[in-house]
Amino acid sequence: MSKRNQQILLINRPKGMPTEADFKWEEIPIPQPSEGEVLVKTLYLSVDPYMRGRMNDSKSYVAPFELNQPISGGVVGEVVESKAPGLEAGDIVVGMLDWKKYQTVSAHGVKKIDPTVAPITTALGVVGMPGLTAYFGLLDIGKPQPGETVVISGAAGAVGMVVGQIAKIKGCRVVGIAGSDAKIEYLVKQLGFDAAINYKTATDLRAALKEACPNGVDIYFDNVGGEVSDAVMTLINPHARIPLCGQIALYNMEKVAIGPRIQPLLLINKALIKGFIVSDYAERFEEGTRQLALWVKEGKLRYEETIVDGFENTIQAFLGLFSGENLGKQLVKVAEPSKR
Amino acid sequence: MSKRNQQILLINRPKGMPTEADFKWEEIPIPQPSEGEVLVKTLYLSVDPYMRGRMNDSKSYVAPFELNQPISGGVVGEVVESKAPGLEAGDIVVGMLDWKKYQTVSAHGVKKIDPTVAPITTALGVVGMPGLTAYFGLLDIGKPQPGETVVISGAAGAVGMVVGQIAKIKGCRVVGIAGSDAKIEYLVKQLGFDAAINYKTATDLRAALKEACPNGVDIYFDNVGGEVSDAVMTLINPHARIPLCGQIALYNMEKVAIGPRIQPLLLINKALIKGFIVSDYAERFEEGTRQLALWVKEGKLRYEETIVDGFENTIQAFLGLFSGENLGKQLVKVAEPSKR
């Protein structure tokens, strides 16, 4: 079996949408683990919208990617060789790792996952960072109460889908906003959303939202910002809560985006808006992971994955996020596990 | 002694700044209290910026004033006649009452105040609604920690002054923004603010703020909104908190104000912004009043009052709020107490 190693480097800071020319595939040797380390073979890697922000050389959620260094992100891998207690060859692990086929990492940098609880890919989605983002943003900032109306932008993404289903579990009316009729239909028919709106085809988004939210909006889980959010903001109720999870404007921070001032609406409605990142809740990841896995097991939390095959197709999968091709979590399959 | 009664009615919904022609002084009889009521003589009444919003026929913090009805607001008065247990003639009370020289009110609609604890006018200022607004907005939403930097717009107003002094008590660096050199000097020299900026004369407000806040802004207590806030927002630190207390844009809600989108800044900094109104904290007024009165007694909390004499000068006093004439709490003295 060939054990060639490969990594993907960022070689240019993209202007606007990245192209494959901004990245470089490089052959490298397979490293040897030192004491306390494991050698991990990448099985699946996660591509996420927030990574676009890290490709800029500007302040964002997290530090920018360095030029001529490998991209990093969520990876599920298999331990090939272990020099660390508690991990052995064949174990499946998840962590924030480099985009490499093989890499060594400190045993503290990965978490062992139990493949019998849920498919291993869910550690990158519904029970991983996107699921935890939904869980803490909705429950800790949104604080949903039975009978309240929850609106979600980017509702068919990996985070939005989980937000909507947790809101249903909590007894809320759930309205999703997404960008295709197929997504809209999926949200309502498969995930049980009360309504969903295609913002690309709605002639009057605010009117469509008003119809879908006859009692106004108590929680707006904002994954996108911009004009979609402008429409939702005009419909918020007194004491509304707005977890702020993503903003299109972040992808192009050279220009300051201009729009309607939201402070008067926040003041009149005594409303709260809070930006957050899932790592704010690192101390509660165990709780969140356990609850999400339980809901998946009970069939209360469905998930969707779009899997592209092959390390060489990673950038293509990443770019697909921005044209809205994925339904649910977008993953790249890099290798098969050696055993199941 | 003449006991003519008079009231001030709102007779037009003002466009822009009100004029005296929007109001009417009307002679009325002095009413008789029914069982459970008291007859109250107005001693001092409070004029506040938020009242401008209530003169519009649009959604604001609180319901609009009704046309051809008396304006209402904070009043300190003296009980002239009581048909309610627990209150007797000569008692000093505070409540949200009509702009009348005399009125009857349910005993539940007023609170008895102890004139020996602090001057009775402070029940409309530093230990009244403005003080409580500062107390709960700063402590409950802002959550100041020692060493943090707190910026306050409208810093020389009745709320802003108290915010700054509480922030100093909590060990913060305090930077005020106000609209005259006299106010700036008062904030720094009399109230112990670490720095203060005159936004009207600053050639580059952001640069001036940056110099005054070398460690960035952890809490921004926003009394004004608009371009002053735009400048502050660009300097917020990670996990900043922004209690939203007032917005100039509210006075002219027909037009949607346009400005820089703040959501990207909130997301990058995982920051919180929350609109509030003091009545959100009604259950904790006892706690707040007690603490504020204690700080006044200990000399830790200074206050300033601008008192206009005469019921007939009420509107003039109100309009002065918008040209920045007042330092601290603006009051109108309507009558002397009959005893001290």
Side-chain angles (χ1 to χ4, degrees), chain A residues 217-228:
Chain A
V217 177
D218 299 296
I219 298 174
Y220 172 43
F221 195 103
D222 185 6
N223 285 308
V224 305
E227 291 179 9
V228 167

Side-chain angles (χ1 to χ4, degrees), chain A residues 112-128:
Chain A
K112 186 172 164 176
I113 56 183
D114 181 352
T116 65
V117 171
I120 61 174
T121 51
T122 61
L124 295 173
V126 64
V127 297

Side-chain angles (χ1 to χ4, degrees), chain B residues 42-54:
Chain B
T42 297
L43 303 179
Y44 292 93
L45 61 82
S46 174
V47 290
D48 298 275
Y50 81 88
M51 293 175 161
R52 176 62 190 86
R54 296 194 67 185

